[in-house]
Amino acid sequence: MVGSGRSRGLDRQGFIEREGALGRVSEGFRPVVAAARERVLNVFGPQLHSAYLYGSIPRGTARPGRSDLDLLVALRGEPTEADRAAARALDEALDKEFPQIDGGGTLLVGRAQVLSDLERYDLGWFVACLCTPLLGEDLAEELPRYRPTSLLARETNGDLALALPRWRQRVAEATDDNALRTLVRGCSRRLVRTGFTLVMPRWNGWTSDLHEMAEVFGEYYPERAAQLRDAAVAGYEPGPRADLLRSYLDDLAPWLAEEYARVHGVKAPRPGEQ
């Protein structure tokens, strides 16, 4: 079996340990993090509640020139369109200035949303377990501890079926290699994570490594193991693979959405979802 004991990302009580730390940021990415910290504070000022890093940079696994900068910014109120435009401008400026990152994205949320009952096992879990505090008061202090349960699986990735129509439209509209690479990267990562959380409660652990996720999934669904291993490779090394995207949409993704709903149920609908 892949992983054992505490190596499965759990503490001694069986709760998911928070991954990432500022001390794990490698030397090459420290100027990026320092600039991001300063600029987030300057851009959002008094309306900023807290800011966080997530992804490979705080885990210490980022690759210069290949990894992106992932930020989550929690505001005291609900984000406006002006706030979102400011976040996009911040991402673009950091990407242009620092060659060690390959793009970036700021997830902008409101404090009340993170702490809401609806988001307790999705966005709340994400902040508490996958985000590294960068600025402000840590919202994890107001959230529960989390175990790798079926409820957590359902609320984090139980909405794959809703994503498929959007994926089909985006694939149909992709006109160049850059657009295809972006889709391959995003869809591959989403499928691997969904496959992993499908079996997460049985495996009883947590990892953010795509290759390990695929291997864990393969222990329970050997007939689909090769597909998820290929998706993990594409998640880290995406190419303009229209054929791969078609295979996702024609086979792997619909099967995974159906099996997920059968095992864990469907994620609670969010406002505005049909």
Side-chain angles (χ1 to χ4, degrees):
M1 299 288 283
V2 177
S4 62
R6 295 192 66 198
S7 66
R8 290 188 175 185
L10 306 181
D11 66 14
R12 295 186 184 277
Q13 288 75 46
F15 295 109
I16 297 173
E17 291 186 307
R18 196 175 206 174
E19 59 177 37
L22 293 181
R24 296 181 190 172
V25 177
S26 62
E27 184 174 353
F29 287 94
R30 289 174 190 167
V32 186
V33 172
R37 186 181 190 280
E38 179 182 0
R39 294 178 196 184
V40 165
L41 188 58
N42 290 339
V43 168
F44 296 105
Q47 62 180 324
L48 175 70
H49 177 275
S50 49
Y52 309 79
L53 293 171
Y54 65 95
S56 61
I57 291 179
R59 292 199 301 266
T61 59
R63 299 173 296 169
R66 306 295 291 276
S67 297
D68 52 2
L69 173 67
D70 295 311
L71 295 167
L72 183 143
V73 172
L75 301 182
R76 298 186 184 280
E78 289 304 304
T80 65
E81 285 306 313
D83 293 328
R84 299 188 193 283
R88 288 192 295 271
L90 172 66
D91 295 336
E92 292 169 2
L94 289 169
D95 183 38
K96 184 176 181 180
E97 183 172 344
F98 293 98
Q100 54 267 61
I101 60 172
D102 181 20
T106 297
L107 179 59
L108 205 59
V109 298
R111 175 184 179 277
Q113 180 187 7
V114 176
L115 300 179
S116 68
D117 290 341
L118 185 62
E119 294 292 345
R120 180 67 52 85
Y121 289 91
D122 187 10
L123 183 57
W125 163 80
F126 181 76
V127 170
C129 294
L130 304 190
C131 288
T132 298
L134 184 65
L135 284 165
E137 299 176 12
D138 185 7
L139 284 168
E141 298 297 327
E142 302 182 58
L143 291 162
R145 304 293 307 282
Y146 295 89
R147 300 182 188 273
T149 62
S150 182
L151 172 60
L152 183 61
R154 186 189 77 207
E155 290 304 305
T156 52
N157 287 296
D159 59 347
L160 179 60
L162 290 178
L164 300 188
R166 296 192 295 270
W167 287 9
R168 290 189 177 95
Q169 181 177 354
R170 291 182 64 192
V171 170
E173 294 172 350
T175 58
D176 57 46
D177 285 355
N178 285 336
L180 286 172
R181 285 191 187 92
T182 298
L183 284 167
V184 167
R185 181 179 186 273
C187 294
S188 298
R189 291 187 172 204
R190 174 71 182 273
L191 291 176
V192 174
R193 289 166 180 158
T194 302
F196 169 71
T197 52
L198 171 63
V199 303
M200 173 186 68
R202 283 184 278 175
W203 188 63
N204 191 35
W206 175 262
T207 177
S208 283
D209 181 272
L210 297 181
H211 294 303
E212 186 175 16
M213 285 181 165
E215 291 302 319
V216 171
F217 169 85
E219 293 176 358
Y220 300 91
Y221 293 92
E223 71 281 7
R224 295 275 180 174
Q227 288 177 292
L228 224 68
R229 291 190 190 105
D230 289 345
V233 172
Y236 285 129
E237 302 288 345
R241 296 277 310 280
D243 62 320
L244 184 62
L245 292 169
R246 284 194 296 270
S247 74
Y248 289 164
L249 292 170
D250 292 343
D251 180 34
L252 179 59
W255 172 83
L256 188 52
E258 182 177 353
E259 181 68 0
Y260 211 98
R262 184 188 71 80
V263 174
H264 298 301
V266 178
K267 183 175 181 176
R270 267 49 178 174
E273 292 180 347
Q274 296 182 349

